[in-house]
Amino acid sequence: MLRVCVCVSGGGTNLQAIMDAMDAGKITNTQIVRVISNNKGAYALERAKNKGIDAAVVSPKDFADRDLFNEAFLRCVDEAGPDLIVLAGFLVVLPPMMIKKYERRIINIHPALIPSFCGKGYYGLKVHEAVLARGVKITGATVHFVDEGTDTGPIILQKAVEVLPDDTPQVLQQRVMEQAEWVILPQAINMIANGKI
Ligand code: GAR
C-alpha cells in the first residue's frame, strides 16, 4: 500500500478526484493517510473529513516566523509516515529541507503545460488569465515531481486542453480541471503506486 499525504489550500476538487478514483478502483494499492492544509477554511478539509480521512491544519498565521511554521509543517507530514506527498492545489512554498528529505516522493499538479505559464506568480486563476492574455489556443495540465525550483521538476504526465474563443479565466479553469487535472493526477498516483514510474 502506497501511503499518501495530500496537501491542499482551497476547494479540494483534485483531492476529490483522487478519492473518487480510489473508490472507482482507478487508483489501487493506495491509502490517503493524511490531508494537510495551510488554510483553516479550506473546503478540502471537509471533503477529507466526509471520507473519514485524518485532516490537519498547519497555518503560517499560527507561528511567529517562517522557520517555526516550516518545522511544524514538516513534523505534521513526517508523523503521517507517507511514501508519497501529493500537492493538490497547495499554494505554499515547501521548505527546502522537506524537498531534500522527500526527494522524488513529492508530486504537484500545475494547471498549464509546463514550461509555459509556470514558475513564480503562476498559480490558480492567474495561470488561466495569463493563458487568455497571451492568446494561446492550447493549454492543459502537468503532473511533475517537485524539486527546489518552482515548477521545474521532472514531468510525469501532461494533457492538453483546447482554449475556446469565449473563455473567461473561470470557464477555462473548469475545463482544464475536468479534462486534464482530474484525469492525470489520479493516473500519476496509480502509476507510482503500481511501480510504473
Ligand atoms: C488547481 O487548478 C491546481 O492545479 C492549482 O490550484 C487549483 C486547486 O484547485 N494549483 C496551482 O496553481 C499550483 N501552482 P482544487 O483545490 O479545487 O484542487
Side-chain angles (χ1 to χ4, degrees), residues 8-15 44 88-91 108-111 122-124 127-128 151 173 177 181-182:
V8 293
S9 296
T13 64
N14 278 286
L15 168 67
F90 189 59
L91 304 180
N108 177 49
I109 177 84
H110 183 73
Y122 286 99
Y123 59 87
V127 176
H128 306 291
D151 302 327
Q173 179 181 50
M177 283 177 159
E181 297 185 42
W182 302 343

Side-chain angles (χ1 to χ4, degrees), residues 24-82:
K26 291 180 183 167
I27 298 177
T28 57
N29 290 327
T30 299
Q31 181 190 2
I32 300 177
V33 290
R34 180 168 280 180
V35 169
I36 307 177
S37 178
N38 60 306
N39 169 12
K40 284 186 182 70
Y43 184 64
L45 292 166
E46 300 308 313
R47 294 181 192 270
K49 286 178 200 157
N50 289 341
K51 273 271 165 202
I53 295 170
D54 174 36
V57 175
V58 187
S59 166
K61 291 181 190 150
D62 296 332
F63 296 90
D65 63 38
R66 200 70 190 177
D67 285 346
L68 289 172
F69 163 73
N70 283 346
E71 273 172 33
F73 179 69
L74 183 53
R75 207 177 316 123
C76 189
V77 170
D78 284 346
E79 277 166 10

Side-chain angles (χ1 to χ4, degrees), residues 94-190:
L94 294 187
M97 202 173 41
M98 173 169 165
I99 295 172
K100 211 166 255 152
K101 181 164 186 183
Y102 289 96
E103 203 182 358
R104 291 291 182 276
R105 289 192 286 156
I106 311 175
I107 64 172
N108 177 49
I109 177 84
H110 183 73
L113 294 174
I114 291 174
S116 293
F117 306 106
C118 66
K120 209 164 180 259
Y122 286 99
Y123 59 87
L125 215 49
K126 288 182 193 292
V127 176
H128 306 291
E129 285 165 0
V131 163
L132 292 176
R134 185 61 186 84
V136 296
K137 305 304 175 203
I138 300 286
T139 184
T142 304
V143 180
H144 63 94
F145 284 110
V146 172
D147 67 6
E148 291 76 12
T150 306
D151 302 327
T152 52
I155 290 171
I156 300 168
L157 289 174
Q158 289 189 303
K159 194 163 188 288
V161 174
E162 220 179 330
V163 180
L164 298 178
D166 293 333
D167 276 347
T168 61
Q170 288 80 2
V171 166
L172 182 58
Q173 179 181 50
Q174 185 67 22
R175 189 180 313 114
V176 168
M177 283 177 159
E178 282 174 10
Q179 295 184 7
E181 297 185 42
W182 302 343
V183 177
I184 62 174
L185 186 56
Q187 218 175 320
I189 294 169
N190 189 51

